[in-house]
Amino acid sequence: MTVTVAHPALEPGRVGGLSTSNRLVVAPMTRVSAAPDGTATPEMAEYYAEYARGGFGLVITEGVYTDAVYSQGYLNQPGLVSERHVSAWREVTAGVHEAGGSIVAQLMHAGALSQGNPYRDDTAGPSAVVPQGVKMPEYGGHGPWAAPREMSPDDIRQAVDGFVASAVNAERAGFDGVEVHAANGYLLDQFLTDYTNLREDSYGGPIAARVRLTAEIVAAIRAEVGPDWCVGVRVSQTKVNDFRYRWPGGAHDAEVIFAALAEAGATYLHVASEGRNWLDSARLDRGLTVTGLARRVSGLPVIANGGMHDADLSAQVLADGHADLVSVARAALVNPDLPRRLAEGSAPVSFDHAMLSPMVTLDNARRWRLAAGADA
């Protein structure tokens, strides 16, 4: 006999006008498995539909590049900049919808952290600052980062236009919304970060100026898609190339960021932990958590991230008002049926890093499953 377990993450969720069957979200995860021209593949359609069949209420895609200039971060990253891209994504969204799920496209500009872009040989960012660390082999990169070119006002306008055009393309492709990627060290986070943004114009200086570009993009998308379509924003303190970084102004900086994004017209806020447990990354000064503060300041639904496959932790985060939904990344890779496991009280399969080795592709994940004796 199947036992059904009561858990707050299994209750219906809502982000703006978008209703979800539960409050479990698949977090965006780079898979570098698109065609060389950025077109989504049938394998990707099956990959995303599997999460919906497994019971996830909302699926957020991997970062999708937004223009044919500087935005692409990885070779074989999917895009949303051509008719071919739009057509292929329609197959993906249809599969998720047929399985009863909702799907949001994460829109991403890599900025200085681009390590594979067939459109350009150089990179661009807020300032000509060499990124910390080295490129990531699991995503096809090797060696040190190059110094980016400081973006001109025209470059910034081009980036904004790319986000807007890609959002319109996402709507045409059948997505239920978009998530503006302002986290994890990529372009918009580079503008938010004090040591990568040394600008002296209206996009640099105090935190209210450094968040301006993200807010402008959200407002521009909102003006184009109307008041009801879902336009989320993902933010983080930590980065793929700097796990220690925290907003220097602590709760003050967080309040300024969250208020600006809400005023710009965001539907929800998604606070990423960059592979860290929520308990480790969410604490701010004055006994606050970054997700709880985001809820209070913005008045928007908030998605918490970081170890949320742990049933006790996710229950605490939701029940204590730290977030409205929870997102799961690597645990979802090995447990695409995690919501069903949670409902049945079954322990999730432990994540094995070999699933992402030597690269984070769907092909390598399939090989891992075959070796582990799971269905392909």
Side-chain angles (χ1 to χ4, degrees):
M1 183 177 71
T2 301
V3 177
T4 301
V5 176
H7 191 284
L10 298 173
E11 298 171 359
R14 190 171 186 84
V15 283
L18 178 62
S19 298
T20 60
S21 59
N22 55 48
R23 297 197 271 174
L24 287 161
V25 181
V26 177
M29 291 176 281
T30 299
R31 304 317 307 272
V32 289
S33 297
D37 70 347
T39 301
T41 65
E43 184 180 38
M44 290 171 60
E46 170 60 23
Y47 164 73
Y48 284 114
E50 186 178 22
Y51 289 121
R53 291 196 299 268
F56 279 95
L58 177 62
V59 178
I60 305 175
T61 72
E62 61 206 283
V64 179
Y65 69 83
T66 54
D67 62 51
V69 191
Y70 285 111
S71 68
Q72 187 168 348
Y74 310 105
L75 297 179
N76 297 105
Q77 179 185 3
L80 258 172
V81 304
S82 72
E83 287 303 314
R84 183 175 169 85
H85 292 164
V86 172
S87 179
W89 278 116
R90 286 193 181 113
E91 299 301 315
V92 178
T93 60
V96 171
H97 291 151
E98 287 171 7
S102 299
I103 183 167
V104 164
Q106 188 188 68
L107 304 182
M108 168 184 161
H109 191 305
L113 294 191
S114 176
Q115 59 182 45
N117 182 2
Y119 298 107
R120 303 281 303 202
D121 293 327
D122 59 339
T123 59
S127 302
V129 176
V130 177
Q132 294 188 17
V134 295
K135 296 178 182 178
M136 296 169 282
E138 290 179 345
Y139 301 94
H142 300 280
W145 301 100
R149 182 173 65 82
E150 181 172 312
M151 295 175 73
S152 68
D154 286 344
D155 291 329
I156 292 174
R157 177 48 51 193
Q158 191 172 50
V160 173
D161 291 346
F163 273 97
V164 175
S166 292
V168 172
N169 283 342
E171 189 174 31
R172 294 171 54 225
F175 283 100
D176 299 296
V178 294
E179 179 177 278
V180 175
H181 195 356
N184 307 130
Y186 298 107
L187 179 71
L188 301 184
D189 188 40
Q190 291 159 30
F191 271 84
L192 276 170
T193 300
D194 56 354
Y195 68 79
T196 53
N197 183 351
L198 308 180
R199 300 178 73 94
E200 297 180 351
D201 61 6
S202 58
Y203 292 101
I207 187 62
R210 301 200 307 273
V211 74
R212 177 184 171 192
L213 179 57
T214 305
E216 285 186 354
I217 287 169
V218 172
I221 292 174
R222 176 61 68 209
E224 197 68 30
V225 301
D228 300 322
W229 203 57
C230 181
V231 182
V233 185
R234 195 179 209 214
V235 296
S236 70
Q237 299 190 82
T238 55
K239 313 170 192 311
V240 295
N241 63 328
D242 184 356
F243 294 144
R244 293 189 177 93
Y245 185 79
R246 295 293 186 271
W247 293 324
H252 170 266
D253 284 7
E255 290 175 352
V256 172
I257 292 167
F258 299 146
L261 298 178
E263 184 177 359
T267 304
Y268 71 81
L269 300 176
H270 186 182
V271 183
S273 294
E274 193 50 61
R276 298 302 190 262
N277 188 285
W278 176 84
L279 289 171
D280 297 329
S281 62
R283 292 189 182 94
L284 291 169
D285 49 348
R286 292 182 280 160
L288 301 170
T289 65
V290 66
T291 51
L293 186 63
R295 290 185 81 219
R296 178 172 65 79
V297 171
S298 71
L300 300 174
V302 170
I303 303 175
N305 172 253
M308 293 300 152
H309 62 285
D310 183 304
D312 292 336
L313 178 60
S314 58
Q316 173 194 344
V317 168
L318 294 172
D320 292 351
H322 294 288
D324 301 274
L325 300 94
V326 294
S327 71
V328 183
R330 291 182 174 184
L333 288 178
V334 289
N335 299 277
D337 61 345
L338 185 67
R340 291 180 182 171
R341 288 176 177 271
L342 181 61
E344 295 170 0
S346 302
V349 177
S350 298
F351 173 73
D352 180 0
H353 194 270
M355 192 178 193
L356 305 179
S357 181
M359 287 186 64
V360 298
T361 61
L362 295 178
D363 188 51
N364 283 336
R366 187 191 311 109
R367 292 176 186 174
W368 178 88
R369 284 187 171 191
L370 288 171
D375 292 334

